[in-house]
Amino acid sequence: MYNTRMLSYAEARACVIEQTRNAARRGPTFTKNVNDALGDVLAREVRNDREYPPFDRSTRDGYAVRSAEAVAGAHLKCVGEIKAGDTVTQPLPANACIQIMTGAALPAGADAVVMIEFTQRAGDTVTFQRATNAGQNFVPKGSEARAGDLALKRGLRLGYAELALAAQVGAFELACFKRPRVAILSTGDEVVPITEAPGAFHIRNSNSVSLTAQVRLAGGEPAPLGNALDRVDDLSAKIELGLKEDILVLSGGVSMGKYDLVETVLKSLGAEFYFDAVAIRPGKPAVFGRCRDTFVFGLPGNPVSTMVTFQLFVIPAMDILGGAPPRQLPLLEANLVKTLHEKPGLTHFLPGHFEWTGISPEVKPLSWQGSGDIAALTQANCFIVVPADRQDIPAGEKVSVLPRLDVI
Ligand code: AMP
Ligand code: MG
């Protein structure tokens, strides 16, 4: 341990980023069809195949003109029509205009498009109501990008805009990094598979389900390992399986209880730890370390603690090991609609409901029974972040809000 003081959540994230960056291995790359690459990370840059736009492209329906001729009150003869997709070979004759549609190419000689709304037409004669400025209402050839310029750089995560740009430049097959593989192992003698009837004092393994979903949402490949009993032999054997992956996420077994054995077992397998507590609630006992070539997170087992700590700490590690820069925490600001009282000393993440009502965003704290209350989370679309140095936050004050990964 190089940290004896408990880290804030921001420091703990910085620690995850530093450690994973030092070790980032990117492994093999894969070719993905552009339609299947949402959430993948580009392993090879994409360059523009030609200039964009590839021709002077009209942005309005109207008339292609020479601006010096289309002055206020001018009459020009309309000598033709150009629609989007038409091949344009004829230049614009002197003292004439050509009707043009949005997306069509300007003829040589034209230096502006006048919107149809500012013209009048009688037969072939078009009258212009206002002065025309050179350059108006078209995007010049090559003004968005030059042929050969970088379109998408290596390490970029592919969202819908990035995929559209790849499609635009003809890159329908993309070289992508292997998605980080994340082993998921829950722990606890009380935890039973979801397909089994639980005994009176058992609980179903919901953490493996939420973690699998969170790994997928974050762009990783989940490797579910089921549940380990709170016993050294079972934990060791199942952790060994998890050490084949890029990241191992454990839930439960990291608190101070007599049967919280995760850290002890990891240590016996050679793990080093970078932190084993964070000044947050829920989620304080969260552990982060490395065992052989695998980064290991021990997340507290209470379901909401597991969800929050995954979002805070596991995602940046997945980003970096997947070849991308770490995503920022997407914090928003909203007016608190109900006064909060929390114990100081820890940053609290409280289930909240964020909404725009009229002119500014508001967030309402939801009542809950603490970090085991999954049902409360299903009503929440965010966590309200209560800073460690604040005990009371009055209604009306602005607070930070962390959107849930999947609902805002
Ligand atoms: P622990 O972190 O092991 O002390 O567990 C804290 C609480 O989380 C206990 O009430 C557990 O029953 C619950 N819990 C632990 N693992 C799971 C799991 N896989 N699914 C649902 N709840 C769990
Ligand atoms: Mg336990």
Side-chain angles (χ1 to χ4, degrees), residues 152-166:
L152 298 166
K153 66 173 190 233
R154 179 182 147 97
L156 199 65
R157 189 179 296 283
L158 296 165
Y160 54 82
E162 291 73 19
L163 294 172
L165 187 57

Side-chain angles (χ1 to χ4, degrees), residues 254-303:
V254 289
S255 302
M256 301 299 284
K258 185 172 164 199
Y259 296 98
D260 289 326
L261 302 171
V262 164
E263 266 181 275
T264 313
V265 171
L266 280 169
K267 209 170 277 172
S268 76
L269 295 173
E272 59 172 327
F273 295 103
Y274 305 121
F275 60 76
D276 72 351
V278 186
I280 53 173
R281 177 171 294 158
K284 184 166 153 235
V287 173
F288 169 57
R290 183 177 179 164
C291 194
R292 302 176 203 156
D293 279 339
T294 299
F295 287 96
V296 183
F297 293 88
L299 309 182
N302 264 312

Side-chain angles (χ1 to χ4, degrees), residues 34-108:
V34 69
N35 279 307
D36 300 325
L38 180 66
D40 279 306
V41 176
L42 259 191
R44 194 181 315 129
E45 67 188 20
V46 171
R47 291 187 173 268
N48 291 300
D49 62 323
R50 53 180 181 163
E51 297 192 28
Y52 286 94
F55 48 84
D56 291 338
R57 185 182 63 212
S58 176
T59 58
R60 293 287 187 273
D61 295 316
Y63 293 94
V65 298
R66 282 189 183 78
S67 56
E69 293 173 355
V71 296
H75 309 291
L76 294 174
K77 185 170 182 205
C78 180
V79 297
E81 176 188 289
I82 308 171
K83 346 188 261 310
D86 282 355
T87 302
V88 182
T89 50
Q90 299 299 316
L92 176 66
N95 288 311
C97 62
I98 295 181
Q99 188 162 17
I100 191 165
M101 315 303 153
T102 302
L106 262 65

Side-chain angles (χ1 to χ4, degrees), residues 6 37 44 53 67 101 108 123 131 174 203 208 264 321 327 391 399:
M6 201 166 26
R44 194 181 315 129
S67 56
M101 315 303 153
L174 300 168
I203 54 149
S208 287
T264 313
L321 297 179
R327 269 166 280 199
Q391 196 155 2
V399 288

Side-chain angles (χ1 to χ4, degrees), residues 97-327:
C97 62
I98 295 181
Q99 188 162 17
I100 191 165
M101 315 303 153
T102 302
L106 262 65
D111 67 354
V113 172
V114 177
M115 288 166 68
I116 198 147
E117 291 88 334
F118 302 126
T119 63
Q120 269 154 3
R121 183 157 177 170
D124 282 348
T125 304
V126 180
T127 305
F128 293 86
Q129 296 170 352
R130 343 172 139 183
T132 303
N133 297 317
Q136 77 183 31
N137 297 327
F138 76 94
V139 186
K141 176 177 179 175
S143 62
E144 291 170 4
R146 295 276 164 196
D149 277 359
L150 188 65
L152 298 166
K153 66 173 190 233
R154 179 182 147 97
L156 199 65
R157 189 179 296 283
L158 296 165
Y160 54 82
E162 291 73 19
L163 294 172
L165 187 57
Q168 170 169 275
V169 304
F172 55 86
E173 289 194 321
L174 300 168
C176 298
F177 288 120
K178 180 177 89 76
R179 290 182 174 229
R181 282 184 54 92
V182 182
I184 296 166
L185 179 60
S186 74
T187 71
D189 290 348
E190 77 281 28
V191 176
V192 297
I194 57 172
T195 48
E196 278 177 24
F201 300 101
H202 293 157
I203 54 149
R204 294 191 179 95
N205 188 354
S206 65
N207 285 349
S208 287
V209 173
S210 60
L211 285 170
T212 299
Q214 286 185 291
V215 167
R216 286 216 176 96
L217 271 170
E221 200 175 308
L225 297 177
N227 184 69
L229 300 173
D230 294 315
R231 274 191 352 228
V232 170
D233 55 347
D234 200 35
L235 267 171
S236 303
K238 286 177 177 153
I239 286 174
E240 282 283 358
L241 297 176
L243 295 179
K244 295 190 170 70
E245 312 298 353
D246 302 310
I247 296 175
L248 165 61
V249 176
L250 294 123
S251 84
V254 289
S255 302
M256 301 299 284
K258 185 172 164 199
Y259 296 98
D260 289 326
L261 302 171
V262 164
E263 266 181 275
T264 313
V265 171
L266 280 169
K267 209 170 277 172
S268 76
L269 295 173
E272 59 172 327
F273 295 103
Y274 305 121
F275 60 76
D276 72 351
V278 186
I280 53 173
R281 177 171 294 158
K284 184 166 153 235
V287 173
F288 169 57
R290 183 177 179 164
C291 194
R292 302 176 203 156
D293 279 339
T294 299
F295 287 96
V296 183
F297 293 88
L299 309 182
N302 264 312
V304 181
S305 313
T306 313
M307 294 173 194
V308 171
T309 49
F310 182 94
Q311 188 168 357
L312 291 175
F313 308 125
V314 185
I315 290 178
M318 288 176 61
D319 287 342
I320 291 171
L321 297 179
R327 269 166 280 199

